[in-house]
Amino acid sequence: MAATSGAEIQPVDLHHFPDGETLVKLGGDPAGREIAFLATLRDPDRLALPLRFAALTARELGAARVGLVAPYLGYMRQDKRFHPREAVSAPIFAGFLDECFDWVMTADPHLHRNPSLSALFRIPAYRVATAPLLADWIAANVPEAVLLGPDSESQQWVAEVARLAGRPYEVLTKHRSGDRQVEISLPGSAVFRQGTPVILDDIASSGHTLIRTLEQLEQAGARPATCVIIHAVFAHGAEEAIRHAGAARIVSTDTIPHSTNAVCVGELLATEMKVAQCAT
């Protein structure tokens, strides 16, 4: 990513005190420079406050502009009040980042009930689409793929990956009644039996959507499926459970570092960052 963007890399040192507080130290002098912090926010509760300290320190020390490249942007899924008195976390967290940064960039954020990042952020916010990268990987590695989207909300981006890969697709029906209670229904057509099922999911956390889909495919007599995931959050035991459910292969992008990473988004993010800088 640094090579493509022409950026200089400097570390941010985090020192954790015994009482749980964190001391942040920037690795280089930000005075007069354009600064972009690279931080995937898989664990936002642990990272958000040190990230705020780092951004505001860079600004205090004279940075010309301070941006955030968050390949995975947490807290985007709670985008409505599902039950009384719940916090709607997505706009609240966006407001938190608004106060710290001049711009933000992320890859395929969860925007199911928000039309765009601009509906959440007051600062310029850029969404990078991984569909071309996923399509290239599928075309090269699963030439007989039939793409399956986990629910109606995945329709648009699964259709785009299928179009770019030149493969058919279907969208499943999902009903979620809890964090780990998910029911999946396969489509009425049998197109998924005509090739190798490739299940696309934007975020795999508990893994239960993928597990239920794999179980349904096995019962329907389909070939062992490949799971392609954009953001490999993977709560404890999720990857093992997905493999146990029959996944032939699990592949993810590297928006979150994980052993399943096979699709690199760094150059795409760097290219889009250069475009964004030219536009501002």
Side-chain angles (χ1 to χ4, degrees):
M1 182 174 176
T4 301
S5 66
E8 175 187 337
I9 298 176
Q10 291 287 352
V12 176
D13 182 64
L14 303 180
H15 176 77
H16 301 287
F17 292 106
D19 62 1
E21 294 185 359
T22 301
L23 174 65
V24 175
K25 181 180 179 181
L26 305 184
D29 183 3
R33 308 184 72 177
E34 295 267 349
I35 303 297
F37 288 97
L38 174 63
T40 196
L41 292 174
R42 181 203 181 280
D43 190 357
D45 288 4
R46 181 176 61 88
L47 294 175
L49 196 56
L51 185 61
R52 181 182 179 94
F53 291 164
L56 296 184
T57 299
R59 196 181 303 283
E60 176 197 353
L61 295 177
R65 295 175 76 237
V66 182
L68 170 64
V69 179
Y72 173 67
L73 185 59
Y75 275 125
M76 292 294 104
R77 285 182 286 176
Q78 185 76 14
D79 53 9
K80 65 174 285 189
R81 185 168 287 110
F82 297 95
H83 302 287
R85 300 177 298 282
E86 285 183 342
V88 185
S89 307
I92 296 173
F93 192 59
F96 174 88
L97 297 177
D98 279 336
E99 297 172 352
C100 306
F101 298 98
D102 295 302
W103 55 269
V104 64
M105 177 175 290
T106 189
D108 285 329
H110 186 98
L111 292 174
H112 289 180
R113 275 165 287 271
N114 289 297
S116 66
L117 285 172
S118 62
L120 294 170
F121 288 89
R122 296 190 305 272
I123 59 176
Y126 305 97
R127 172 188 177 272
V128 175
T130 62
L133 302 179
L134 300 179
D136 287 347
W137 187 91
I138 291 168
N141 293 276
V142 195
E144 296 183 352
V146 175
L147 278 60
L148 300 177
D151 52 39
S152 60
E153 294 175 334
S154 70
Q155 167 86 33
Q156 186 173 1
W157 65 273
V158 171
E160 178 64 5
V161 174
R163 183 187 70 81
L164 293 171
R167 300 303 305 162
Y169 77 95
E170 290 280 3
V171 174
L172 314 182
T173 301
K174 179 170 73 173
H175 174 70
R176 180 183 291 277
S177 55
D179 291 344
R180 297 178 180 273
Q181 289 78 47
V182 178
E183 296 298 327
I184 295 290
S185 298
L186 296 180
S189 72
V191 66
F192 57 86
R193 295 194 190 95
Q194 299 169 12
T196 299
V198 174
I199 310 167
L200 270 68
D201 207 353
D202 60 342
I203 300 173
S205 182
S206 69
H208 277 66
T209 294
L210 293 170
I211 291 166
R212 296 292 176 262
T213 303
L214 289 163
E215 291 171 348
Q216 291 289 322
L217 288 170
E218 182 179 20
Q219 292 175 16
R223 300 178 191 175
T226 294
C227 298
V228 176
I229 301 154
I230 299 177
H231 303 298
V233 174
F234 287 142
H236 179 70
E239 181 191 358
E240 293 78 7
I242 294 167
R243 293 192 188 280
H244 184 73
R249 186 172 184 181
I250 303 173
V251 167
S252 65
T253 77
D254 60 357
T255 61
I256 298 172
H258 194 266
S259 61
T260 60
N261 292 165
V263 180
C264 178
V265 303
E267 288 194 13
L268 184 61
L269 286 166
T271 299
E272 292 299 318
M273 189 169 65
K274 292 176 68 174
V275 171
Q277 287 174 333
C278 291
T280 56

